[in-house]
Amino acid sequence: EAGVAQSPRYKIIEKRQSVAFWCNPISGHATLYWYQQILGQGPKLLIQFQNNGVVDDSQLPKDRFSAERLKGVDSTLKIQPAKLEDSAVYLCASSFGLAATGELFFGEGSRLTVL
Amino acid sequence: AQSVTQPDIHITVSEGASLELRCNYSYGATPYLFWYVQSPGQGLQLLLKYFSGDTLVQGIKGFEAEFKRSQSSFNLRKPSVHWSDAAEYFCAVVSMTTDSWGKLQFGSGTQVVVTP
């Protein structure tokens, strides 16, 4: 069974530039998550989708971050314009059900460096 | 507000020695608790989870964890550490508050270094 796929693995940009990350979850998983993991911290949930609807985006900085999951399968997370503090690993995860009862499967992450 | 705390940022252990990682939570009811492991350059992988029932839970890779309500703890243990256990370990709790139901909240992690 294929795992959660993410790309690109690494990205270096200058501040005020834009960047996009892509995620393809495990087939059949209805719930998709984007987490931000800053060095030395645990992952922080940015946005959670159930199929193609947003369940929780309360911690997404909406002035610069956006995410979509148009067909309920793969998802894109965009940052525009990027700030220095956005340097982090962006983790995508998926689950069959809700996080409350199910296991989350994580991709390897996309490491962003903002200069 | 709910929270999960991992007091130890970094632990060094000799190969073959036992390992215990601490996790404390702040939550009114019985929480859903998880331990995840993140190997270098990898995504997080679930080691074990506790919902209810037996307070000692077994996980993958020889890990176990014990839920202690009186201490608000969910410590992770392994009797004999292997070099491949060098990784970062995250304790997590599922939020059951009205405004963030089902959200998985992670601790700040404990980095484990294994020496020969």
Side-chain angles (χ1 to χ4, degrees):
Chain A
E1 177 183 274
V4 177
Q6 289 189 247
S7 66
R9 288 293 309 276
Y10 304 93
K11 189 73 176 179
I12 301 174
I13 61 173
E14 295 187 348
K15 60 183 179 183
R16 291 189 289 274
Q17 287 186 324
S18 63
V19 63
F21 302 113
W22 174 82
C23 172
N24 191 32
I26 292 174
S27 178
H29 281 193
T31 310
L32 185 147
Y33 315 78
W34 282 102
Y35 282 84
Q36 180 192 56
Q37 186 178 17
I38 294 173
L39 187 64
Q41 300 180 18
K44 182 185 81 173
L45 180 67
L46 292 176
I47 188 167
Q48 176 180 341
F49 293 94
Q50 182 82 10
N51 296 310
N52 60 348
V54 175
V55 173
D56 185 346
D57 64 357
S58 57
Q59 298 199 77
L60 186 74
K62 298 180 185 61
D63 58 334
R64 298 182 300 105
F65 286 65
S66 65
E68 59 183 14
R69 193 185 184 198
L70 292 176
K71 296 182 180 179
V73 180
D74 57 346
S75 175
T76 303
L77 176 71
K78 296 180 181 178
I79 308 174
Q80 181 179 13
K83 292 185 175 182
L84 296 177
E85 59 261 36
D86 297 332
S87 293
V89 176
Y90 291 86
L91 296 167
C92 179
S94 69
S95 65
F96 183 75
L98 294 176
T101 56
E103 174 181 354
L104 267 64
F105 294 83
F106 284 82
E108 295 180 330
S110 295
R111 181 178 298 276
L112 173 66
T113 302
V114 182
L115 303 176
Chain B
Q2 296 177 111
S3 66
V4 58
T5 303
Q6 295 180 247
D8 304 305
I9 297 172
H10 186 273
I11 285 180
T12 299
V13 60
S14 299
E15 192 168 14
S18 64
L19 174 68
E20 181 167 11
L21 304 182
R22 296 184 291 164
C23 173
N24 295 100
Y25 65 88
S26 170
Y27 185 66
T30 300
Y32 290 177
L33 293 159
F34 304 78
W35 274 100
Y36 279 81
V37 61
Q38 186 176 31
S39 298
Q42 303 295 315
L44 282 76
Q45 181 184 22
L46 180 67
L47 284 175
L48 47 79
K49 58 188 176 185
Y50 172 78
F51 291 165
S52 65
D54 193 345
T55 57
L56 184 64
V57 294
Q58 302 297 320
I60 62 172
K61 304 185 179 187
F63 285 92
E64 66 178 24
E66 186 171 12
F67 172 67
K68 293 186 177 180
R69 184 190 302 277
S70 61
Q71 298 178 19
S72 297
S73 69
F74 187 57
N75 294 349
L76 182 71
R77 299 193 294 254
K78 185 168 184 177
S80 177
V81 168
H82 186 261
W83 64 266
S84 60
D85 294 323
E88 188 150 25
Y89 293 79
F90 293 94
C91 183
V93 62
V94 170
S95 171
M96 293 299 180
T97 59
T98 304
D99 59 348
S100 60
W101 190 89
K103 182 188 298 186
L104 190 63
Q105 182 177 348
F106 287 88
S108 55
T110 298
Q111 184 72 45
V112 172
V113 173
V114 180
T115 59

